[in-house]
Amino acid sequence: ILPVVVEEMHAPTKSRSNEAIRWTMVSVAIMYVAFAVFGYLYAYDMPVGVSGDILLNFPSDRILVNIVRIGLFLTLDLSYPLLVLPCYQSLESLVTELRGYEVGHSRRSFSSKLWNVAEILLLCVTSLACAIAVPHIQVVFAFLGSTVCNIIAFVLPPLFFVNSRPAGSALWNRRNASAVLLFALGVFLVITCTGVQIANINQLLSK
């Protein structure tokens, strides 16, 4: 997404791109924190507690709340193709590479549009099946937080750092020591946090 945003900027430069990304992340973080804090303050003393979907804590006979629910539904429903597109492109690149073609090579010589439709249907059906199988959104958030977030924050950065070492240099040296420790911490957090979520799965499902 970020390369596309940069390409759409007027006179894109590295400093302007970094500034746009920085302010985007700050504004989104402020909105997320504000909604989380005020949502928790609103529902923390309710008998049912704070739901994984804060909209479930609001009464169903409020017109404004129902409008927000409809807006959220439309947002998720209409933005779904944008979420599927990167998955489809990654799957397309993977299949193309496995078939022995370079990424970006036209697949018309060995595949038809029917194959492309089958890939998209596979992604849609798989995601729909997962959405139906998981009863509560907090289950998704819990496992994403324990796996994907830790991998992005603690596992992948040290791997990228070690991979960027000068050609011919040793893998294990003082320069990579902190990266190795961070990688070990990330693996430990992934295993530990995922284990905790699995142990508390019944509690998550009961909320």
Side-chain angles (χ1 to χ4, degrees):
I1 296 177
L2 292 179
V4 176
V5 173
V6 173
E7 291 177 0
E8 294 296 327
M9 293 179 62
H10 177 68
T13 61
K14 184 177 181 180
S15 59
R16 296 186 71 234
S17 302
N18 292 337
E19 190 73 13
I21 295 173
R22 186 180 303 112
W23 281 108
T24 300
M25 298 300 293
V26 169
S27 60
V28 170
I30 292 175
M31 287 189 291
Y32 268 77
V33 171
F35 276 103
V37 171
F38 288 111
Y40 181 81
L41 293 177
Y42 171 81
Y44 80 97
D45 58 346
M46 289 185 173
V48 296
V50 181
S51 175
D53 182 358
I54 190 62
L55 291 177
L56 296 178
N57 287 109
F58 290 90
S60 58
D61 57 349
R62 297 282 185 88
I63 297 179
L64 182 59
V65 175
N66 289 330
I67 292 176
V68 173
R69 290 190 176 108
I70 294 174
L72 179 61
F73 161 74
L74 292 176
T75 300
L76 296 176
D77 186 61
L78 297 179
S79 64
Y80 185 72
L82 297 177
L83 302 177
V84 172
L85 181 59
C87 297
Y88 166 73
Q89 291 175 337
S90 299
L91 180 61
E92 179 78 1
S93 300
L94 178 61
V95 173
T96 301
E97 186 174 351
L98 292 176
R99 291 292 187 94
Y101 288 83
E102 296 181 356
V103 177
H105 186 277
S106 176
R107 293 179 53 197
R108 294 179 181 176
S109 58
F110 63 89
S111 177
S112 63
K113 292 184 178 180
L114 183 61
W115 178 266
N116 297 334
V117 173
E119 291 178 351
I120 296 175
L121 287 177
L122 174 64
L123 293 173
C124 293
V125 171
T126 303
S127 58
L128 179 61
C130 293
I132 295 175
V134 178
H136 301 291
I137 190 63
Q138 58 262 32
V139 177
V140 178
F141 290 155
F143 281 96
L144 285 179
S146 61
T147 55
V148 176
C149 291
N150 284 323
I151 291 174
I152 293 176
F154 300 107
V155 176
L156 293 181
L159 289 179
F160 294 153
F161 179 79
V162 172
N163 191 51
S164 66
R165 68 186 187 279
S169 62
L171 177 62
W172 305 107
N173 52 40
R174 184 177 300 178
R175 174 182 179 271
N176 297 334
S178 58
V180 173
L181 292 176
L182 185 61
F183 173 79
L185 174 63
V187 173
F188 172 77
L189 289 176
V190 169
I191 296 175
T192 303
C193 295
T194 304
V196 170
Q197 300 304 332
I198 294 175
N200 296 331
I201 187 66
N202 292 330
Q203 182 179 355
L204 290 173
L205 294 176
S206 63
K207 289 184 178 180

